[in-house]
Amino acid sequence: RALEKSEPFLPFRASKLTHFLKESLAGNSKTSMLATLSPAADNVAETLSTLRFAASVKQVVTKAKVNEDKTADNVKALKAEIAALKSKLAKQSPDKAAETSADLEVKVKMVNKAS
């Protein structure tokens, strides 16, 4: 079934625990697994089940990557461009600076709305 949907095959069974941990076990994250075992003879079945689960989770390989926000980079670039244009305007004649300053203020308002 996983091959039909081109989803990665996960080597553990479908259970409530694996469903709950789906993003941590197979998602974009680094995860540590701590299996707590009991030395009591009454808990042998539970201990074996826990060990099987931990062994299957150990086989899962994830490739975590940094999530990047591209809009923040665009806003920073636009703000830097606005600052450069403002300094360029300050160096020009006062008449031209007054004419283009209104256009520049409109762009500043657009950038501020985007961020």
Side-chain angles (χ1 to χ4, degrees):
R1 200 175 86 192
L3 296 176
E4 293 172 3
K5 295 181 182 179
S6 71
E7 295 176 0
F9 173 71
L10 303 176
F12 42 82
R13 68 177 193 264
S15 69
K16 290 181 182 179
L17 181 60
T18 54
H19 180 72
F20 180 72
L21 297 173
K22 184 171 83 172
E23 290 298 319
S24 298
L25 298 175
N28 184 22
S29 63
K30 291 186 177 186
T31 307
S32 296
M33 174 72 183
L34 176 67
T36 307
L37 308 174
S38 173
D42 297 347
N43 298 326
V44 169
E46 187 68 29
T47 298
L48 289 174
S49 175
T50 302
L51 286 172
R52 279 189 217 107
F53 177 76
S56 66
V57 169
K58 188 177 175 182
Q59 295 173 359
V60 176
V61 177
T62 59
K63 295 179 182 176
K65 62 180 181 178
V66 176
N67 295 330
E68 297 176 353
D69 185 15
K70 294 182 181 181
T71 57
D73 293 338
N74 288 340
V75 170
K76 286 180 186 176
L78 289 172
K79 285 184 178 182
E81 183 180 352
I82 289 170
L85 289 173
K86 280 186 177 181
S87 66
K88 191 174 180 181
L89 277 175
K91 293 178 184 176
Q92 288 181 353
S93 65
D95 295 335
K96 276 190 172 181
E99 291 173 10
T100 56
S101 181
D103 294 333
L104 188 59
E105 289 302 321
V106 170
K107 289 182 181 180
V108 169
K109 287 178 184 177
M110 289 174 56
V111 168
N112 288 336
K113 283 183 182 178
S115 61

